[in-house]
Amino acid sequence: MFAKAFRVKSNTAIKGSDRRKLRNDVAATFPTLTSEQLSEIVPNKEELNIIKLYAHKGDALTVYANGRIPVLFEMEKRLYPTVYTLWSHPHLLPAFSTWPPVLHKLAGGADLMLPGVVVPSYGLPQVDRGTLCAITLVGNSAPVAIGIATMSSAEMVAAGMKGKGFTVLHTYMDHLWEFGDKSCPPTIVPLEAEPSEMMDAEEEEQEAGEGEGKSQENSHPIDPCLQTGIRNLNMEDAIQSVDMTEKEEPNENGAAETTEEDNLDVPQEAEDSRSPQEQMDALLHQCFFHALKCKVKKSELPLLTSTFLRNYMFACCPQGQQLDIKKSSYKKFSKFLQSMQQQNILQVKELNKGVESIVNVDWRHESIRSFVVPIEIAASELSVQDSRSGDGEQPYHCPEITPLYGISSRMAPLFQESGYNFIKVDPILCDCLLDKSEQDEISKLTWDNLLSRCLDKLQPFHQVTFFGHDPIVRKGNNDPIDINIAQRSCNKKVTIIKNLELYGLDPQAVANFLQLKVQASATVTTLPGAKDRAQVQVQGNQIHHLAKLLVEDYQIPRKYIKGLEMAPKMGRKK
């Protein structure tokens, strides 16, 4: 559902009566919630927004957000929790586990097939067809996706754990998750069935004849032969079963072979003799050098250390793994950077009080030069680039803008009857180009004067051609992207950007980019006097970052951007 980008229609604060109605709806949908848990999801006084949006297929959806964190979404008058909500309430929905490598397939829009479901020793949870379920990864009870069961637990067992098991609606790392703070799933140790409970169940089965059937009906135990086969099912089969839900390609067999080779590394990881702390240290160093060598540019320095960690190092973390500095020997990111600074790899300074930034990187350092990006990560990054240039989202192309002139009724006779070859003022030229006070005085015109007078009398139009679309002709002159600096209370400045839609840019996407880039508040509001237009407002003077985004990244000519000259003057670096 959220594997591709969506378009925000509106974002408004929810009112008191609507808040009470939402609370009642949540209580009715999830009756196991206590009053305290209900208040956490739908708070009484904290900010709660209702966001109307359209998915990539045109489906209308409603998202409820607590601040910037989406907590619920509504589709076809049914409420669903997001992964952020399930991380705080992991037992809200019945949960089914799958292998970690399957996650990136689910985030790409695939459904979960039954061969990818890991069956625990105590059997499957009891669910009916159409039940909303959580999907977790082996070894962690924090849900990473939600989906609707396509069959009951009994039907899953009867089918030999084959076929489509769940229609996935929302996952960790999809666009709805990106709408929040992009935090990672917590580590929640799975709760296995108590041995005493299992022994009691076995005794009850042995004592009660008729009760045996009822017990089986409630717990759905797996046939021993079938269970052994499922337990020994490797991740290669699970991923191949997920691939069945995706669009078939000519090289389907080749893709299956690649998946098989990739998954041969999984048992090796399980046999790693290093301690968990040593493995986390290795992952931390890998993400650090990968980010410095392939992601960070010299022009982006100085770079906030928090931004470097969030936007660069986390992005370099391999699929199925989680970078957790607290589990490393460094415990804190500042201590890790201090260690790297002692090795003269980079230089960190406190440019503002309490805020550290990376001010210099020695890209010639042997540790950076000798680092090689793991082949599986390089392949995954290449596949992402291919998907963006293929069936996925198209990269942005600046539209072609051509000035045009429209012929008014007064100028029509000039073009209908006489053509362009004029130098002597005849009655048509006199009526079209000369004012009444000039008609008796001017009998001849130079070509330059004739042309300038002619253009002044024509109506301005312009033609806009977006990549892959037919040209659009609009009346009037082309409005540039308008950037302005406004003064607010306490001498605070804000940057206001207008007319982004005229150039095919999504104001919400620009606001999200700036918010992450400059670590400042960014909002999108309706442009006064224009219901179908929006403006972006960002705290501080952010014209330098806007210029880089619009001119360098989007390749929009400077003549179509107004206000770049108001960028703050850059002081000399100390």
Side-chain angles (χ1 to χ4, degrees), residues 16-288:
S17 58
D18 294 334
R19 189 187 295 257
R20 288 190 295 271
K21 181 180 182 303
L22 177 61
R23 180 189 294 271
N24 294 334
D25 291 342
V26 173
T29 306
F30 308 106
T32 58
L33 286 173
T34 64
S35 58
E36 294 180 356
Q37 293 173 333
L38 190 59
S39 297
E40 292 178 3
I41 299 176
V42 186
N44 293 322
K45 297 181 179 180
E46 294 180 19
E47 179 185 0
L48 192 65
N49 293 338
I50 179 170
I51 304 166
K52 303 285 187 179
L53 54 87
Y54 292 109
H56 68 282
K57 293 183 178 180
D59 299 327
L61 303 171
T62 301
V63 175
Y64 298 94
N66 187 348
R68 284 289 301 173
I69 306 298
V71 293
L72 300 163
F73 67 95
E74 184 178 358
M75 181 175 60
E76 296 180 354
K77 298 183 178 181
R78 182 176 179 181
L79 286 171
Y80 302 90
T82 66
V83 290
Y84 292 106
T85 298
L86 292 178
W87 292 341
S88 301
H89 309 281
H91 305 297
L92 182 62
L93 302 176
F96 292 77
S97 295
T98 187
W99 302 107
V102 179
L103 175 58
H104 77 280
K105 296 286 185 180
L106 302 181
D111 292 324
L112 180 60
M113 307 296 284
L114 288 178
V117 176
V118 179
V119 182
S121 58
Y122 49 84
L124 295 173
Q126 181 185 2
V127 298
D128 296 325
R129 181 182 300 182
T131 301
L132 183 64
C133 302
I135 299 171
T136 64
L137 300 181
V138 173
N140 190 355
S141 293
V144 294
I146 64 169
I148 298 177
T150 59
M151 60 181 75
S152 66
S153 302
E155 292 172 334
M156 295 179 187
V157 176
M161 298 302 291
K162 294 182 180 180
K164 180 177 175 180
F166 301 89
T167 301
V168 177
L169 302 178
H170 159 52
T171 70
Y172 162 61
M173 294 190 301
D174 67 5
H175 285 274
L176 181 58
W177 167 82
E178 289 182 353
F179 196 78
D181 62 3
K182 299 183 180 180
S183 56
C184 298
T187 301
I188 304 175
V189 179
L191 297 176
E192 294 287 344
E194 295 292 337
S196 59
E197 294 178 1
M198 297 180 64
M199 292 178 63
D200 292 342
E202 291 178 359
E203 291 176 358
E204 290 178 1
E205 290 179 4
Q206 292 176 359
E207 292 175 358
E210 296 180 358
E212 181 179 3
K214 297 179 181 178
S215 175
Q216 291 179 355
E217 195 172 318
N218 292 331
S219 61
H220 299 293
I222 307 296
D223 181 83
C225 298
L226 177 61
Q227 190 177 53
T228 303
I230 295 173
R231 285 183 186 176
N232 295 332
L233 177 71
N234 56 24
M235 284 170 276
E236 164 197 329
D237 297 329
I239 295 178
Q240 289 181 3
S241 66
V242 173
D243 285 338
M244 292 173 61
T245 66
E246 299 179 348
K247 187 176 180 180
E248 293 185 359
E249 297 181 0
N251 59 343
E252 183 180 356
N253 295 332
E257 292 174 2
T258 304
T259 305
E260 183 175 341
E261 294 174 1
D262 292 342
N263 286 301
L264 290 176
D265 295 334
V266 176
Q268 296 177 4
E269 292 180 2
E271 298 172 0
D272 198 334
S273 60
R274 296 176 299 176
S275 66
Q277 188 178 80
E278 291 174 339
Q279 295 181 31
M280 187 56 65
D281 285 349
L283 178 61
L284 182 61
H285 282 84
Q286 175 183 312
C287 296
F288 172 75

Side-chain angles (χ1 to χ4, degrees), residues 289 293 363-373:
F289 288 114
K293 188 168 186 176
W363 275 283
R364 295 184 179 180
H365 196 280
E366 182 62 27
S367 299
I368 298 179
R369 294 177 60 185
S370 61
F371 175 77
V372 178
V373 179

Side-chain angles (χ1 to χ4, degrees), residues 303-359:
L303 180 65
L304 291 175
T305 57
S306 58
T307 303
F308 173 66
L309 175 64
R310 183 184 304 110
N311 295 354
Y312 294 90
M313 288 186 61
F314 283 163
C316 295
C317 187
Q319 292 284 352
Q321 298 188 45
Q322 180 180 341
L323 183 61
D324 191 345
I325 299 176
K326 292 181 180 180
K327 294 182 180 179
S328 69
S329 61
Y330 300 95
K331 303 302 180 183
K332 293 183 179 181
F333 188 53
S334 58
K335 290 185 177 180
F336 171 75
L337 291 179
Q338 185 179 1
S339 174
M340 297 298 103
Q341 186 170 234
Q342 291 173 352
Q343 300 178 39
N344 297 321
I345 297 175
L346 49 70
Q347 185 178 4
V348 178
K349 282 187 177 181
E350 188 175 329
L351 300 181
N352 297 318
K353 187 176 180 180
V355 180
E356 292 185 337
S357 300
I358 300 173
V359 297

